[in-house]
Amino acid sequence: MPEVVDQIDTSVLEQLLGYNARRASLAVIGQFLEDMAEFNLRPVEFSVLTLIASNPGITARQLCQQLALLPPNLVGLLNALVKRDLIRREPHASDRRATALHLACGADKLVKKAQSRALQSDEKVLGHLTAAERQTLIALLKKVYATPQL
Amino acid sequence: MPEVVDQIDTSVLEQLLGYNARRASLAVIGQFLEDMAEFNLRPVEFSVLTLIASNPGITARQLCQQLALLPPNLVGLLNALVKRDLIRREPHASDRRATALHLACGADKLVKKAQSRALQSDEKVLGHLTAAERQTLIALLKKVYATPQL
DNA sequence: TATTGTTATACTCTATAACTATA
DNA sequence: TATAGTTATAGAGTATAACAATA
């Protein structure tokens, strides 16, 4: 039993998926936060704006399902985006309980810029991976979460 | 512009590393929490115990660096593990400011069981991936976080 | 009776400043 | 002067219960 630890043995942790996934996520999110600071967008806000841009009229419930958010936690986020004139709430066409979410006029420009910046952020983190490796990585991540766990 | 969204278009998000990494992490951590409930160990507690087991005498500062924790947030976690008789704090051999962390007597048995269970948990999440795919996934995740971002 | 959105609230996780004792 | 550990505290993220309006 060594009295003083100099080199840390992480061999057990390093073979576990969760440990590696968490450390990779920290690296990706850290770079994302840095690159998105100019737009003042956190990852969830970026995802919400992107889904609204690609799916005009989407409801809060659909956003919650897609992004694994709980409805009470989405309310304040949407309020903030409305206050920043990035989105607007409109009456839903067929369900008067729901609200249809749309980008505010002019917000599509900012969203496009942010999306381009997000791709650049990925580029930084994945810069030392080949194109094939990147595709493989994303495909394998999808395979992890896109399958019913039964 | 569709009035009602039925099928959600996630094509933009799905090409981004952060989105896929987050969803994969949620799946992995969810399974981990379920499988570790019997031991009442959260992911961070499991990692701390594993590092102490593999590195007897490791200091709190070394744990913080390895697991990306902030010192104030580790204190309570270690206190709880001491109270549960899983670890003990001992004087450091060469630095009287530091404390050397060790597993408590008998805790190695629980840690080994938990590590075995963690591997089983990975097995569930990765069950539909081939052995080669799993190795590739972990290797690529390491490549993402183990490289200087410059 | 079930669902959408909302309020209020609590619990966990993460972050910062400041202190002590040692180096 | 710098570092290891600690305290107190604040903020962000995530969770449940309950309500009004609508299906």
Side-chain angles (χ1 to χ4, degrees), chain A residues 14-112:
Chain A
E14 276 184 15
Q15 69 190 111
L16 289 173
L17 178 61
Y19 176 77
N20 291 288
R22 176 172 182 264
R23 292 202 56 177
S25 286
L26 286 177
V28 176
I29 293 176
Q31 186 64 57
F32 189 93
L33 289 174
E34 186 179 314
D35 292 330
M36 285 296 166
E38 176 188 338
F39 304 105
N40 194 23
L41 288 179
R42 291 168 298 159
V44 196
E45 292 166 333
F46 171 85
S47 298
V48 164
L49 286 177
T50 293
L51 284 180
I52 294 176
S54 299
N55 305 274
I58 193 173
T59 68
R61 183 180 162 278
Q62 288 175 311
L63 283 177
C64 285
Q65 285 187 332
Q66 191 62 45
L67 299 175
L69 302 174
L70 291 172
N73 301 327
L74 183 62
V75 177
L77 197 155
L78 291 180
N79 286 340
L81 293 178
V82 169
K83 193 168 256 176
R84 288 168 69 182
D85 276 322
L86 293 177
I87 66 169
R88 59 179 204 276
R89 287 188 241 236
E90 294 196 356
H92 191 273
S94 57
D95 188 337
R96 284 195 298 165
R97 295 171 302 180
T99 57
L101 299 167
H102 296 268
L103 287 190
C105 300
D108 54 337
K109 230 173 132 181
L110 179 138
V111 170
K112 282 210 169 182

Side-chain angles (χ1 to χ4, degrees), chain B residues 22 59-61 71-72 75 89 97-99:
Chain B
R22 176 172 182 266
T59 68
R61 181 179 164 278
V75 177
R89 286 189 244 236
R97 295 172 303 181
T99 57

Side-chain angles (χ1 to χ4, degrees), chain B residues 48-90:
Chain B
V48 165
L49 286 178
T50 293
L51 284 180
I52 294 176
S54 300
N55 304 275
I58 193 173
T59 68
R61 181 179 164 278
Q62 289 175 311
L63 284 177
C64 285
Q65 286 187 333
Q66 192 61 45
L67 299 175
L69 302 175
L70 292 172
N73 301 327
L74 183 60
V75 177
L77 196 154
L78 292 180
N79 286 341
L81 293 179
V82 169
K83 193 168 256 175
R84 288 169 67 180
D85 276 322
L86 293 177
I87 66 169
R88 58 180 205 277
R89 286 189 244 236
E90 294 196 355

Side-chain angles (χ1 to χ4, degrees), chain A residues 139-149, chain B residues 14 20 23-24 27 128:
Chain A
L140 289 176
L141 288 174
K142 279 182 187 166
K143 212 166 177 180
V144 168
Y145 72 75
T147 308
Q149 299 297 331
Chain B
E14 275 184 15
N20 291 287
R23 292 203 56 177
H128 51 295

